[in-house]
Amino acid sequence: MTDENSRALYDRALSVMPGGVNSAVRAAIEPYPFFVQKGDGGHVIDADGNRYIDWVMGLGPLLLGHSLPEQVQAAIQKQASAGPMYGTPTEIEVDLAEFVVRHVPSVEKIRFVNSGTEATVSAVRLARGYTGRNKIVVMQGGYHGAQESTLVEGDAENPAPSSAGVPQSFAEHTLPVPFNDEAAVREVFDEHGDDIAAVLTEPILANYGIVHPEDGYHEFLREITAEHGSLLIFDEVITGFRVGGLGCAQSELGVTPDLTTFGKIIGGGFPVGAIGGRAEIIESFAPSGPVFQAGTFSGHPVTMAAGLETLQFAAENDVYDHVNDLGEQLRSGLTDIVADQAPSYTVTGTDSMFKVIFTRDGPGPDSLEEQCKTGCRQNPTCPRYDYCPKNSADVKNAETERWRRIFWGKMKAQDVFLSQNQFECQFVSYNHTEADVETTLEAYKNAL
Ligand SMILES: *Cc1c(COP(=O)(O)O)cnc(C)c1O
């Protein structure tokens, strides 16, 4: 396996781009990331001609994989050749909006934007504008894009910017609490209840090792927000149209948020974001309401075509059965391998997401009989229950250096491309095959 072309490209990139990349996480690969020449099914081929089984899938957007079905490709090409965009509405925006409203129960109206970040920025502004309140509650280790209101760390008593360039005075409006911790949420509502515009959370922490909610946690959030006149915002940028199929994670969990942010899959591989929810709240966006929101590229016809055709293809074919079935094969295979070779580690994920977190705390359970078989579900009767990550502090405590410096490279050497660090999730696509799963499990067996 040579990497001369990737190295030469990275050398050039370092001269003209900060860290040689356009998104920070891409540089996490050491000593340098490989450059992709093209995708092929569930695989990518790098600039030196090496082929990898790709479980990164663009970090989430590629539900169908790299080789798009003919009807999806044709729709994208037709839109592109009609002229890229116009600055005035097109039919395809209405088509995609209708599709989402039809399939996601909490969404009565929707506005499209251009990234997940833009979606959460707009959702936070909307929640503040609608409620007339300033503060938002977020989960430690949750990710909502590169935006001022959520690049905040610490706790509700001492919130602090997690990035240079975010003023402390902005961070003070954000109250970070641990995921799965009802008492911590109760405390911030006791203290600041009248000034909390919204609780903003991923339904499943999917950017931090994948942490499943405990039974009843989201029902609790639903209740306490309603009680205090605050909004519940689900950030489904990753889980939307991935977990729970076309109904999204909220339908699987059976909890109805006031607002939902979308991104990734909803644009079929093109830049996208969206804010959906109760009509009365979404109507607060300009021009129907006082909360300003606009975008030159919003509702871009090529993106809308890619998103709509992708979701329609999923509605008419066995896409979710296929990806969820392979996801389950991966997680149950990994559960066996981990039990055998690294019993303190935790297999996580659901539907078509999977990850092994290198947890190491405590002596571990006496027996792995009766443990969750296809990824941690925070099941209190599971013998691993006390050892599985419940929040970001637990994930952070895992062996990130071993993951990054030893394990990732061992997988790459076996032609398996995993996400760039211990925290990012991995995804199954419609193009992946059982052979990809078998090869990958074999590689884990060698690398763990
Ligand atoms: C990826 C992601 C975002 C940010 O989306 P971008 O398109 O990268 O701006 C926001 N929230 C969640 C949950 C995400 O996974």
Side-chain angles (χ1 to χ4, degrees), residues 52 61 179 219 256 264 387:
Y52 306 92
F179 193 61
E219 285 87 343
T256 308
K264 300 196 170 119
Y387 305 94

Side-chain angles (χ1 to χ4, degrees), residues 313-364:
F313 185 86
E316 290 158 11
N317 295 275
D318 62 340
V319 171
Y320 289 111
D321 288 342
H322 180 84
V323 296
N324 294 348
D325 183 41
L326 292 190
E328 193 166 314
Q329 285 181 36
L330 278 162
R331 290 189 304 275
S332 71
L334 288 169
T335 301
D336 292 341
I337 294 167
V338 161
D340 208 32
Q341 297 180 217
S344 72
Y345 291 0
T346 309
V347 178
T348 61
T350 182
D351 297 63
S352 56
M353 312 196 300
F354 72 101
K355 191 81 179 175
V356 177
I357 307 179
F358 286 18
T359 37
R360 59 184 163 186
D361 267 4

